[in-house]
């Protein structure tokens, strides 16, 4: 292989990695938002992505709605699912143990997975791309326009959330709750409402991830688990609760995975990605970007 | 055997930038009751957590029986004969009262996984011995009647007694009490004081962190006063009570 | 000291002995054999989850390792089934140590995710390592196991065999709970700090129980392979790990008996639902295996929301409340009288 071909391959893998990584980053953001508000890791996070993707498929391919309209409806729908989940399974549980909360979110996750299987069947669903599905070339690497959509929407969401958390009252309240719930409550912040909001936002982000990736991966009901586990790994690597860290870690994981699949073995790609995540979890549970002092304060 | 059962030499603990224990020197004579007192946040519980291995010192030495024991895991510290109670009572609330004390016999019994699983408890001698010994310690703190109760259902006063029985069941040489009277009513506090004195008479060295001054002054042989992680005074209860530094620390300038 | 538990064990053996006389239909016997495999894995899981308080959502992977070790060694290497089962246990011990030593330093969500990730990795390997596992097609022609020269190739024989092993597993488990080690484990669950303060070596205890519970799963997997004579990756997926967790939670996490009851109930549930289908055919409702995921999830959620201590405790309290006379104390088994 000549050096130009090698470079082209590399560039190709990096674009693939960015595309995957954006999704992991979004799932990690979803984990972080709920974690910051509640201390809960929501094992159903991956199912939000699946629901987003499948709902979008139905709306665009079944009902032939326009993409922006279907996008909006889908996000609202999944946010509603998130709110229902919080209202009916998290909110009613008083003085829960960590073990019980873990099992509850696992239960919700398999209920959503089972429902998706019944409603949408076991097959993968094709969805049309946001714009053209004709590839074009950048420095010899072939790129789908959808990849640019994914990266663009990720950037928009990150900017949107930065503005939300730093410049709106609600966003600031959520950050306050994340830092110290008791103190926030004493200052008159309704932390129950914040918990609900965190589920809504987190579900919404999951939905967006599902919507933008479906044209490329063809969504099916069973993808939630793997998305959740990789998204969680991403969140841990980035330092649980640290959204910016999660973003960087997501992109990093995506690129490593794409390079691994390209140069080593695509069969074991997921296994290798999980192995890396496990190793980080074992060696540095506070994450690459988190401080180990701070993580000791968390109840793990 | 050195005269000092426990010795802290230049002990230091820093959390982030906050100095919780500041080059502390303190010694505890064998067979005595030493109380550590000081205003809230003076670093008393931190000292206990350093001694028992729940925290790692940032500097200094902890000597027990003349040997440095810094940085050992809590269960290794326990194996040296150091027992403790907790400021916010830590009992096993899903177990019975007797079982709680039986856990205290852990280091005094030996069956491992395999031996434990081969025979039912009523065929095993060691199991009977553990239960017998545990009953003895339960009677010692006056709780024999409660043996079958679920520990979580006990009132706080009894829970503190139970925690003490569990610590005693280890047959320790040194027992650290972290605010044993907190949350107790006057009658219970007196009972706790009597129990601690009884423990001293058995030859166990006691270190006490406590806010109830009456209790401290009643039972202590030596009182050490700590403020901002530093040792500011030491003496008999009578001496400490009139020490001007102590009065300043408690009442302010 | 837990006499009730041992009376329960006697009742258990009596029931196992009589069932083949009451149920003569081979199909139902075979359903109960599958229940035995789940039961065995769940007893192990309950020791870990309910007594030591450590979660694992990767236990189906250990079942899988046992099954594949038995399958591969008997079919490809010609080992005897007993030898292969033993080798499976050894392999599972090694794997459990490898994953458990670092993982058990983690707590709560981290431990859950670590075991989840580990289970997923093994599943991917089972699908991808075609040379060893046969990939998605699996391994077939796994021989039956024999005991004292008797080949266990009928449903009834295997019924007795598998439930006898469950009984032995129960016996070991019960002994363990009512022992120094068992108290140490329950102490860790109650308060890790307090357990360490009396000298319980918590890391060592956690890893011991993790390995032991993995061994239970491995044996369940080997038995499965010898009964079905064919294995593919399907039954060892994450969904099965969650199913095992559900079984333990349904019966009651804090009692080994809960695991037994939960495993039996959920193993029989699909049969019960198919049976119901006949009654509901008129209204057009039909049970279909595809609903299992949804049904299991709903059961798990309802139990966690309303009966977090499981059915045994819930029914006990109900009986206590209604009967008044029937005084069912919680943790009666540990009354230490």
């Amino acid at each position: 292989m000549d050096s130009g071909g090698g470079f082209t391959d590399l560039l190709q893998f990096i674009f693939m990695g960015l595309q995957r990584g954006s999704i992991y980053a979004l799932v990690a953001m979803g984990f972080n938002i709920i974690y910051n508000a509640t201390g809960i890791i929501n094992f159903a996070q991956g199912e939000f992505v699946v629901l987003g993707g499948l709902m979008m498929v139905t709306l665009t391919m079944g009902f032939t709605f326009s993409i922006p309209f279907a996008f909006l409806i889908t996000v609202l729908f999944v946010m509603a699912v998130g709110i229902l989940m919080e209202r009916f399974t998290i909110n009613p549980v008083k003085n829960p143990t960590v073990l019980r909360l873990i099992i509850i979110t696992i239960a919700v996750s398999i209920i959503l997975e089972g429902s998706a299987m019944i409603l949408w069947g076991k097959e993968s669903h094709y969805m049309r791309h946001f714009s053209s599905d004709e590839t074009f070339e950048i420095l010899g690497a072939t790129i789908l326009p959808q990849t640019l959509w994914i990266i663009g929407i990720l950037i928009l969401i990150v900017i949107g959330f930065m503005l939300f958390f730093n410049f709106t009252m609600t966003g600031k309240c959520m950050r306050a709750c994340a830092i110290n719930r008791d103190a926030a409550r004493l200052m008159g912040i309704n932390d129950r409402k914040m918990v609900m909001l965190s589920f809504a936002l987190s579900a919404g982000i999951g939905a967006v991830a599902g919507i933008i990736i479906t044209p490329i991966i063809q969504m099916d009901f069973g993808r939630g688990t793997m998305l959740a586990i990789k998204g969680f790994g991403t969140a841990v690597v980035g330092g649980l609760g640290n959204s910016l860290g999660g973003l960087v870690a997501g992109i990093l994981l995506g690129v490593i995975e794409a390079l691994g699949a390209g140069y080593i073995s695509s069969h074991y790609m997921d296994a290798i990605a999980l192995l890396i995540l496990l190793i980080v979890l074992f060696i540095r549970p506070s994450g690459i970007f988190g401080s180990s002092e701070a993580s000791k304060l968390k109840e793990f | 055997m050195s005269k000092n059962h426990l010795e802290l030499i230049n002990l230091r603990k820093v959390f982030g930038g906050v100095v919780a224990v500041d080059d502390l020197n303190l010694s505890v004579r064998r067979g005595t009751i030493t109380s550590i007192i000081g205003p809230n946040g003076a670093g008393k519980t931190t000292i206990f957590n350093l001694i028992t291995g729940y925290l790692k010192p940032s500097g200094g030495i902890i000597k027990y029986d003349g040997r440095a024991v810094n940085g050992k895991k809590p269960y290794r510290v326990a194996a040296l004969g150091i027992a403790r109670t907790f400021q916010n009572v830590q009992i096993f609330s899903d177990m019975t009262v007797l079982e709680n004390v039986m856990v205290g016999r852990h280091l005094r019994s030996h069956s491992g996984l395999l031996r434990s699983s081969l025979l039912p408890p009523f065929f095993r001698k060691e199991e009977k011995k553990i239960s017998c010994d545990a009953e003895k310690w339960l009677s010692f703190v006056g709780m024999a009647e409660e043996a079958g109760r679920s520990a979580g259902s006990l009132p706080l006063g009894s829970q503190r007694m139970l925690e003490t029985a569990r610590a005693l069941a280890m047959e320790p040489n040194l027992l650290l009490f972290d605010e044993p009277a907190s949350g107790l009513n006057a009658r219970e506090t007196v009972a706790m004081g009597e129990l601690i004195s009884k423990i001293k008479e058995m030859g166990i060295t006691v270190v006490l962190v406590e806010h109830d001054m009456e209790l401290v002054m009643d039972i202590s042989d030596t009182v050490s006063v700590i403020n901002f992680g530093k040792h500011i005074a030491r003496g008999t209860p009578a001496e400490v009570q009139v020490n001007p530094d102590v009065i300043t620390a408690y009442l302010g300038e | 000291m837990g006499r009730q538990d041992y009376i329960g064990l006697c009742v258990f053996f009596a029931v196992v002995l009589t069932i083949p006389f009451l149920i003569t239909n081979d199909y139902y016997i075979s359903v109960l054999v599958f229940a035995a495999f789940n039961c065995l894995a769940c007893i192990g899981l309950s020791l870990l989850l309910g007594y030591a308080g450590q979660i694992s959502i990767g236990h189906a992977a250990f079942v899988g390792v046992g099954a594949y070790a038995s399958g591969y060694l008997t079919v490809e290497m010609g080992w005897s089934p007993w030898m292969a089962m033993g080798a499976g246990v050894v392999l599972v011990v090694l794997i459990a140590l490898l994953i458990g030593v670092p993982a058990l330093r983690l707590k709560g969500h981290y431990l859950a995710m670590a075991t989840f990730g580990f289970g997923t990795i093994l599943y991917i390997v089972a699908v991808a390592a075609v040379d060893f596992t046969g990939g998605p097609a699996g391994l077939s022609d796994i021989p039956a196991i024999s005991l004292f020269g008797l080949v266990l190739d009928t449903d009834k024989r295997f019924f007795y065999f598998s439930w006898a092993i469950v009984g032995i597993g129960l016996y070991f488990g019960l002994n363990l709970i009512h022992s120094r080690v068992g108290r140490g484990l329950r102490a860790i669950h109650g308060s890790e700090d307090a357990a360490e303060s009396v000298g319980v070596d918590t890391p060592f205890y956690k890893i011991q129980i993790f390995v032991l519970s993995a061994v239970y799963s491995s044996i369940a997997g080997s038995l499965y392979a010898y009964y079905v004579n064919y294995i593919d990756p399907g039954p060892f997926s994450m969904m099965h790990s969650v199913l095992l967790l559900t079984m333990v939670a349904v019966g009651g996490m804090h009692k080994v008996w809960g695991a037994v009851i939960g495993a039996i109930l959920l193993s029989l549930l699909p049969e019960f639902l198919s049976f119901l289908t006949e009654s509901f055919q008129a209204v057009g409702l039909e049970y279909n295996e595809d609903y299992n995921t949804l049904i299991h999830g709903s059961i798990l959620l309802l139990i966690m929301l309303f009966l977090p201590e499981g059915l045994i405790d819930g029914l006990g309290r109900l009986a206590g409340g209604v009967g008044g006379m029937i005084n069912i104390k919680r943790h009666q088994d540990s009354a230490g009288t």
Side-chain angles (χ1 to χ4, degrees), chain B residues 54 74-75 78 90 92 96 99 102-103 106-107 109-113 116-122 127 130 166 170, chain C residues 1 6 171-172 175-176 178-181 183 186-187 191 193-201 203 205 208 334-335:
Chain B
Y54 289 85
Y75 47 87
Q90 299 268 348
F92 311 119
T96 65
E99 281 178 313
M102 287 169 84
V103 178
H106 189 83
L107 289 167
S109 46
H110 307 285
S111 346
L113 189 78
S116 294
S117 49
L118 286 179
L119 278 178
F122 35 83
E127 221 16 54
I130 293 173
R166 184 183 69 199
M170 296 165 65
Chain C
M1 283 188 280
Y6 291 93
Y171 172 79
F172 281 123
N175 290 345
L176 189 69
H178 300 291
S179 76
R180 169 176 181 267
V181 176
R183 274 190 304 275
R186 288 154 64 203
S191 159
D193 282 348
E196 295 202 339
S197 82
V198 295
V200 178
D201 183 342
Y205 267 63
Q208 277 193 84
S334 44

Side-chain angles (χ1 to χ4, degrees), chain B residues 8 11 19-27 34-48 207-211 213 223-235 240 245-246 248-250:
Chain B
L8 311 180
L11 189 65
V19 183
V21 177
D22 191 0
D23 290 333
L24 181 82
N25 288 290
L26 194 147
S27 54
T34 301
S35 290
I36 302 176
I37 63 169
N40 273 327
K44 301 175 304 263
T45 296
T46 307
I47 296 171
F48 271 17
V207 183
L208 185 68
V209 161
E210 184 50 64
H211 278 296
M213 282 310 136
V223 178
S224 283
V225 190
I226 311 281
N227 198 15
F228 296 115
K230 274 187 154 68
H231 205 161
I232 58 170
R234 174 196 174 89
V240 165
D245 289 342
V246 177
T248 315
Y250 269 91

Side-chain angles (χ1 to χ4, degrees), chain C residues 125-138:
Chain C
V125 171
V127 176
V130 181
D131 291 344
F132 287 96
T133 64

Side-chain angles (χ1 to χ4, degrees), chain C residues 82-133:
Chain C
W82 285 99
M83 288 272 291
M85 182 150 90
V89 167
V90 172
L91 185 63
V92 156
V93 168
L94 294 178
I95 294 176
L97 283 174
L98 191 72
I99 185 78
V101 169
L104 290 166
R105 283 167 37 212
L106 307 170
K107 287 180 190 162
H109 298 115
Y110 283 66
L111 178 60
M113 274 295 182
T115 52
F116 206 35
F118 149 78
T120 312
I121 291 177
L122 283 198
Y123 180 76
I124 294 171
V125 171
V127 176
V130 181
D131 291 344
F132 287 96
T133 64

